[in-house]
Amino acid sequence: MGYKTLCFGLTCILFAYFIYVPIPENIDEPWKVRIVDAVIKTTSLTAMLFENIGLMGYEKLFSTLVKLDYTQPISDENVTVMDTTFTDIPVRLYLPKRKSERQRPAVIFIHGGAFVLGSCSKCILWQAPLDLLNRLTANKLDAVVVGVDYRLAPQYQFPTPYEDVISVVKFFLEDKTLAEYGVDPTRICISGDSSGGTLAAGVVQQIQNDPEFKNKFKAQALIYPGLQLVDISMPSHQEYEHGPVLSRNMAIELGCLYLTNDKALSQAIRKNQHMPHGSGHLFKLVNWSTFLPEKYRKQHVYTEPVLGRLNTSFSILLDNRLSPLATNDSQLQNLPLTYVVTCQHDILRDDGLIYVSRLRNAGVKVSHDHIEDGVHGALSFMTLPVYLQLGIRIKDKYINWLEENL
Ligand SMILES: *[C@@H]1O[C@H](CO)[C@@H](O)[C@H](O)[C@H]1NC(C)=O
Ligand SMILES: *[C@@H]1O[C@H](CO)[C@@H](O)[C@H](O)[C@H]1NC(C)=O
Ligand SMILES: *[C@@H]1O[C@H](CO)[C@@H](O)[C@H](O)[C@H]1NC(C)=O
Ligand SMILES: *[C@@H]1O[C@H](CO)[C@@H](O)[C@H](O)[C@H]1NC(C)=O
């Protein structure tokens, strides 16, 4: 009892402190963003404390708070929603009801959550935001939408989440599956937000470059994606180290659980000294000093990273399924039409901006929306209890782009 009271008291003090942390001036609905930010920061610090005293893993408090309840698929007058599995991986399907003479386009949506949290079908309180997004997409585009519930870290670490997505995609792209759902093989997009964008970008690279696949993607849509773990000291990592919403520390702690339980990795990443010897060739592919537009480079000075400081060498750090940005031009040039959303006040901003530059240099057609007052994760705040206009704006931009381009 005394212990619980102490925890509660501590949480209140942290919250009261964090609620006064300044946020960038141009942000819309600042008090809502402050509350979200303070809740996340309080959770992160408490989680760190619990981990240090050996009570539970860092991610456990987040997954307890974001206690996901399975929500039954609910069909409406326009869309039939159903849960099934593709190659044993749970998927939620959104199938338009209206009669169609033609084959339909399709969107495969990969949710975010740092590979550790999130779901396309489960929700926190009322309605899962991504369930809403996928339903709206299906209705507006008259498209078949597939939400993928891949397995999550730390129970299932790299490459399991990636392989789950690949296996769903391979199954869906087979002629017989496309025929079953009446999908036009030339109008398929894969989309993802945040770490879902990491997975989507990696999967697209693999599928488009693999001659075994007859059916390819027409488009990819990446919403504030994380695209690399090679250099964690870009201007956006520095400027938004403390958030809002996603701090560098939290991204590193959660992101590392995707790879390992060994804390040495997150410690090395914090100092940006995690890459092994022999990975030097990757740095030119993610070099912000070359690829970031002048406007975002500002007064930042590029420093060459220190290699080989980690005693255990994680060779997976060289894997482009983890860092789709660290892929050479000959692989990028086969990529389909691409849509990227970046948010100004986001540590992952520069990953997206650099990918836009690299794809354009490689001759890929890219549409890019930069949200000047954007913060990370806004699409997750589109339904009660936290309803941000910013989330609605990003949703509208995304669906409009699909409508015009798919
Ligand atoms: C069904 O579609 C119509 C036309 O797009 C729309 O006006 C209506 O709100 C939709 N119903 C639901 C439940 O979304
Ligand atoms: C990164 O770019 C800067 C400026 O273009 C250059 O001086 C530096 O050598 C580059 N470093 C790597 C590792 O590519
Ligand atoms: C690596 O190993 C050496 C020798 O065992 C040790 O002195 C050093 O502290 C270790 N470095 C790290 C970062 O663990
Ligand atoms: C590009 O990457 C692919 C796959 O990693 C590799 O096979 C190829 O040799 C690379 N090409 C260049 C020009 O580095």
Side-chain angles (χ1 to χ4, degrees):
M1 185 62 206
Y3 162 76
K4 277 190 185 157
T5 315
L6 185 72
C7 284
F8 182 72
L10 183 73
T11 307
C12 291
I13 293 168
L14 286 175
F15 184 80
Y17 172 73
F18 285 132
I19 199 89
Y20 289 104
V21 171
I23 57 168
E25 274 180 7
N26 68 340
I27 285 181
D28 204 16
E29 303 180 288
W31 274 101
K32 285 194 194 169
V33 174
R34 265 179 190 218
I35 292 169
V36 170
D37 187 46
V39 168
I40 294 174
K41 285 200 167 86
T42 306
T43 309
S44 177
L45 204 67
T46 313
M48 200 87 90
L49 200 76
F50 282 2
E51 179 168 58
N52 285 334
I53 61 174
L55 204 59
M56 55 171 82
Y58 178 76
E59 80 292 351
K60 279 273 159 44
L61 189 64
F62 286 95
S63 30
T64 310
L65 285 188
V66 186
K67 167 123 181 29
L68 296 171
D69 289 318
Y70 173 78
T71 51
Q72 290 295 333
I74 300 169
S75 299
D76 61 33
E77 55 184 304
N78 302 320
V79 183
T80 303
V81 184
M82 57 188 269
D83 286 348
T84 180
T85 57
F86 284 173
T87 62
D88 289 336
I89 315 298
V91 293
R92 178 162 283 192
L93 298 180
Y94 301 80
L95 309 169
K97 281 185 179 167
R98 80 187 83 131
K99 291 247 177 310
S100 176
E101 298 299 307
R102 301 190 314 151
Q103 290 175 312
R104 297 192 153 93
V107 176
I108 301 177
F109 195 94
I110 317 299
H111 72 79
F115 310 102
V116 173
L117 305 165
S119 161
C120 64
S121 61
K122 300 181 186 126
C123 75
I124 308 178
L125 285 170
W126 285 272
Q127 184 176 29
L130 296 181
D131 183 66
L132 176 67
L133 179 74
N134 289 339
R135 180 187 303 271
L136 293 171
T137 309
N139 191 30
K140 195 86 187 281
L141 272 81
D142 193 22
V144 171
V145 179
V146 183
V148 184
D149 268 334
Y150 55 89
R151 286 171 289 176
L152 297 174
Q155 194 178 355
Y156 298 99
Q157 289 176 321
F158 180 84
T160 301
Y162 180 88
E163 293 299 342
D164 282 359
V165 177
I166 276 283
S167 89
V168 165
V169 165
K170 285 184 175 174
F171 177 83
F172 189 72
L173 291 182
E174 282 172 19
D175 285 333
K176 99 178 170 316
T177 318
L178 297 179
E180 184 181 339
Y181 294 103
V183 170
D184 180 347
T186 65
R187 295 176 70 202
I188 303 171
C189 176
I190 184 167
S191 309
D193 65 312
S194 192
S195 56
T198 321
L199 292 168
V203 166
V204 171
Q205 291 185 359
Q206 184 173 335
I207 299 289
Q208 306 302 101
N209 285 302
D210 185 343
E212 289 220 341
F213 288 93
K214 181 171 77 70
N215 297 328
K216 308 270 186 200
F217 285 108
K218 179 179 185 185
Q220 62 174 335
L222 311 174
I223 301 168
Y224 40 74
L227 292 167
Q228 56 91 29
L229 264 186
V230 173
D231 182 352
I232 309 297
S233 194
M234 297 198 176
S236 59
H237 293 120
Q238 297 173 34
E239 287 171 36
Y240 300 105
E241 181 175 3
H242 301 292
V245 182
L246 183 64
S247 68
R248 184 170 180 268
N249 201 31
M250 185 176 148
I252 292 174
E253 283 299 317
L254 291 176
C256 281
L257 289 170
Y258 182 35
L259 305 180
T260 176
N261 295 327
D262 183 349
K263 287 287 163 192
L265 181 63
S266 57
Q267 280 157 20
I269 291 186
R270 263 193 216 112
K271 293 186 231 148
N272 207 33
Q273 298 184 342
H274 54 292
M275 292 302 284
H277 287 300
S279 64
H281 62 291
L282 297 181
F283 285 90
K284 70 173 192 308
L285 303 174
V286 305
N287 189 339
W288 62 261
S289 171
T290 324
F291 297 113
L292 202 58
E294 174 86 52
K295 178 180 164 197
Y296 304 100
R297 276 185 260 150
K298 293 194 192 155
Q299 77 293 1
H300 295 279
V301 179
Y302 186 83
T303 48
E304 294 282 333
V306 182
L307 303 182
R309 281 290 172 85
L310 258 176
N311 282 349
T312 9
S313 174
F314 294 93
S315 56
I316 42 178
L317 291 170
L318 277 73
D319 200 311
N320 61 0
R321 293 173 296 174
L322 194 64
S323 297
L325 189 58
T327 295
N328 64 32
D329 284 355
S330 62
Q331 304 268 300
L332 294 186
Q333 67 199 14
N334 301 323
L335 296 187
L337 179 62
T338 299
Y339 178 58
V340 180
V341 172
T342 49
C343 289
Q344 174 63 24
H345 309 295
D346 179 2
I347 53 165
L348 302 182
R349 180 195 72 189
D350 295 348
D351 283 19
L353 292 173
I354 294 173
Y355 206 40
V356 169
S357 299
R358 289 215 47 222
L359 290 179
R360 283 183 176 154
N361 290 350
V364 176
K365 201 166 159 241
V366 182
S367 312
H368 175 213
D369 272 323
H370 183 69
I371 318 286
E372 284 295 342
D373 62 344
V375 298
H376 192 76
L379 269 188
S380 307
F381 304 112
M382 254 193 336
T383 49
L384 291 170
V386 191
Y387 180 96
L388 290 182
Q389 286 303 327
L390 174 64
I392 308 292
R393 266 194 282 143
I394 295 178
K395 178 263 289 175
D396 288 341
K397 281 180 188 290
Y398 162 72
I399 292 181
N400 288 343
W401 185 83
L402 286 176
E403 221 180 353
E404 280 164 26
N405 291 283
L406 190 58

